[in-house]
Amino acid sequence: MTHSRIRRRSTLALIGMTALAALALSACSSSAAPESSPSSSASAEKVTLGDPAKLKLVKDGELTVHVDDPVWSPWFIDNKPDNGKGFESALTYAVAEKLGFKKDQVKWGYTAFAASFTPGPKDFDLYTQEVSITDERAKAVSFSDPYYVSRSVVITKDNSPALAAKSVADLAKYRFGTVAGTTQDSYITQTIKPKDVLSFDTVALSTQALENGQVDAIVVDLQIGQNVVLNQYKDLKIAGLLKDNGVSKGMGFVFDLNSPLVPYVDEALNQLRADGTIDKLEKEWLPLPEQVQEYTQ
């Protein structure tokens, strides 16, 4: 039987979970090599790395990198993007080194997450904060090739009937909470297609709705899901991994539209992937959970 999906909006208030809220728009985990980003068409151009003088930069001799404020583990550690700890901090310094910059030539600044991919000139050379590459965003900014391919997980209660689901089709019978406008929202509504979806403004609010029994499950990125079940709610658990989120093409560095810096960063990423650096950083900072099922289609 085909059900018409009911989409509702919640204004539930929640205090004290800004760490989850700040990550609501990002997407998640990988072990396979990423595909190329459609927006970095110049990446096929052969470039030579190691000479910052030939790069067009916001400020000569410096690589200006922006993030949101605050930043979160495991992408950054201790809310200090410049310490080289965490996946994105370590990767940024590795890219900078390939481009020919010393560590003290990497200058960090702040731009709000949503503003990083809106139209208009940017005051950074590149931006990194788990920004998912989508065709819509690529109309306003340029992206590097993806450095991390997203994985999403289903979170539910540890006694939920939803734990019995083995396929994406099995999930459709359950009530889902979603964060409006995210890649997970698109996956829920376009791929899972449950008949009842309750929308929230943040991951924190959707998680609280799950805890309160307003919904049966939510879909979040892997790192958020691990934080939820390990540090936030002891009666919630990861029910399973989704093969892909259906919208995001992975996470990429963000640039001003048509930035000439893109092919250089893409070549740096290619080299870091080839020499095993990216794989090493994933295993150190972004390990996949053990003994968690992957849903079939």
Side-chain angles (χ1 to χ4, degrees):
M1 179 182 296
T2 300
H3 298 278
S4 59
R5 182 174 58 81
I6 302 171
R7 188 182 184 96
R8 296 178 288 146
R9 186 82 178 167
S10 173
T11 57
L12 177 67
L14 178 68
I15 299 174
M17 296 188 67
T18 55
L20 294 177
L23 291 171
L25 296 177
S26 54
C28 328
S29 163
S30 135
S31 57
E35 297 178 0
S36 294
S37 161
S39 59
S40 54
S41 58
S43 61
E45 176 187 342
K46 186 62 179 176
V47 298
T48 302
L49 304 182
D51 183 6
K54 65 184 179 183
L55 303 177
K56 185 177 180 181
L57 304 166
V58 170
K59 186 174 181 179
D60 290 343
E62 296 181 356
L63 185 66
T64 303
V65 183
H66 279 200
V67 293
D68 200 354
D69 184 19
V71 290
W72 305 104
S73 173
W75 311 99
F76 302 90
I77 304 300
D78 297 328
N79 196 26
K80 296 178 180 178
D82 62 349
N83 65 11
K85 299 178 181 180
F87 180 80
E88 286 179 312
S89 179
L91 179 62
T92 298
Y93 279 117
V95 168
E97 184 178 2
K98 289 289 185 182
L99 295 175
F101 294 97
K102 297 178 181 179
K103 187 173 182 178
D104 62 3
Q105 292 177 296
V106 179
K107 305 299 182 181
W108 296 86
Y110 298 96
T111 293
F113 178 86
S116 71
F117 49 80
T118 54
K122 308 302 179 190
D123 57 355
F124 52 77
D125 295 312
L126 58 88
Y127 184 95
T128 178
Q129 182 124 357
E130 309 94 69
V131 182
S132 296
I133 302 166
T134 67
D135 292 338
E136 184 64 28
R137 292 174 181 177
K139 296 175 183 177
V141 295
S142 289
F143 285 97
S144 69
D145 288 339
Y147 53 74
Y148 192 63
V149 176
S150 302
R151 295 296 299 270
S152 293
V153 293
V154 175
I155 305 293
T156 189
K157 286 199 169 183
D158 58 13
N159 60 354
S160 172
L163 291 171
K166 302 300 180 185
S167 69
V168 173
D170 292 340
L171 293 169
K173 69 180 72 172
Y174 301 104
R175 298 169 298 162
F176 273 81
T178 185
V179 179
T182 63
T183 52
Q184 286 86 5
D185 180 29
S186 298
Y187 185 88
I188 290 169
T189 57
Q190 297 173 16
T191 302
I192 298 176
K193 298 179 181 178
K195 65 177 182 179
D196 196 359
V197 179
L198 190 59
S199 293
F200 300 88
D201 291 330
T202 68
V203 173
L205 294 175
S206 68
T207 306
Q208 185 64 50
L210 175 59
E211 174 71 7
N212 293 345
Q214 294 172 265
V215 297
D216 300 312
I218 59 174
V219 176
V220 296
D221 84 33
L222 173 61
Q223 283 69 41
I224 292 177
Q226 289 174 317
N227 185 48
V228 166
V229 302
L230 293 175
N231 302 317
Q232 300 292 335
Y233 295 97
K234 299 305 181 183
D235 61 338
L236 301 184
K237 69 181 298 181
I238 296 176
L241 282 162
L242 296 164
K243 289 189 175 180
D244 73 86
N245 62 29
V247 177
S248 169
K249 304 174 189 303
M251 299 176 189
F253 291 109
V254 182
F255 306 80
D256 203 357
L257 189 63
N258 300 320
S259 168
L261 186 59
V262 174
Y264 292 91
V265 172
D266 282 347
E267 178 58 23
L269 289 172
N270 288 338
Q271 293 185 18
L272 292 168
R273 192 168 292 113
D275 68 17
T277 297
I278 291 179
D279 184 59
K280 180 181 177 180
L281 292 176
E282 285 186 13
K283 289 178 179 177
E284 179 178 3
W285 297 108
L286 305 171
L288 289 173
E290 297 179 0
Q291 299 179 332
V292 175
Q293 70 164 334
E294 182 174 77
Y295 294 106
T296 62
Q297 293 300 108

